[in-house]
Amino acid sequence: MSDVTQLLQALDAGDPQAADRLLPLVYQKLRQLAAARMAQEKPGQTLQATALVHEAWLRLAGSDQQQWRGRSHFFGAAAEAMRRVLIDQARRKASSKRGAGQSPDEWHESAVASPGPTEEMLAVHEALDALAAEDTTAAEVVKLRYFVGLTIPEIADV
């Protein structure tokens, strides 16, 4: 059993120091996942890969309800956490673009912009939710392939 798997089990068992010992072992792989994900983003993304890793780690380490089934399950959950961080950021950007509580101004046709990365990210999120409603396994395969970059044999292991 790998050190990562043992630490994940210790974390599940409530060992308060397990998360501190786990992070150095998984940080480089999380950083690679984040860098690969950020490379797929369009230019203009303000979130850096390191910040994405930290946000995802806070979500993973702060989840008391999560039971890790092993290394692959953990990294799949990390990819999902990164995806959710990016979606949350896209929603915040979209909200601020739409005024976020400011009084409405008169609309002009010249103000229409083409869809950017924010809209695309939200569209991907909605498509994945729709796919998950129809076929959860297919949605998981897409997430692991697109967001984590796993190969088909690695996805089969997960």
Side-chain angles (χ1 to χ4, degrees), residues 79-129:
E80 177 66 15
M82 288 179 196
R83 182 177 82 89
R84 296 218 175 261
V85 167
L86 290 170
I87 289 166
D88 289 347
Q89 183 185 20
R91 284 185 175 145
R92 280 191 300 274
K93 268 187 172 176
S95 174
S96 67
K97 282 183 181 178
R98 292 187 180 99
Q102 296 177 356
S103 61
D105 290 336
E106 186 176 328
W107 182 78
H108 297 281
E109 289 182 27
S110 63
V112 175
S114 63
T118 300
E119 290 84 7
E120 184 177 310
M121 176 62 71
L122 293 175
V124 168
H125 173 65
E126 289 170 4
L128 274 173
D129 283 349

Side-chain angles (χ1 to χ4, degrees), residues 7 9 34-35 44 55 70 80 85 88 91 110 115 128 132 134 142 147 158:
L7 286 172
Q9 289 175 348
E55 287 291 325
E80 177 66 15
V85 167
D88 289 347
R91 284 185 175 145
S110 63
L128 274 173
E134 294 292 321
V142 170
F147 291 104
V158 171

Side-chain angles (χ1 to χ4, degrees), residues 7-19:
L7 286 172
L8 289 170
Q9 289 175 348
L11 191 62
D12 288 343
D15 180 354
Q17 284 82 35

Side-chain angles (χ1 to χ4, degrees), residues 58-92:
L58 289 173
R59 291 179 185 208
L60 292 169
S63 175
D64 294 334
Q65 302 164 346
Q66 184 65 44
Q67 293 281 318
W68 307 111
R69 293 187 303 258
R71 179 184 180 94
S72 296
H73 180 236
F74 172 79
F75 285 112
E80 177 66 15
M82 288 179 196
R83 182 177 82 89
R84 296 218 175 261
V85 167
L86 290 170
I87 289 166
D88 289 347
Q89 183 185 20
R91 284 185 175 145
R92 280 191 300 274

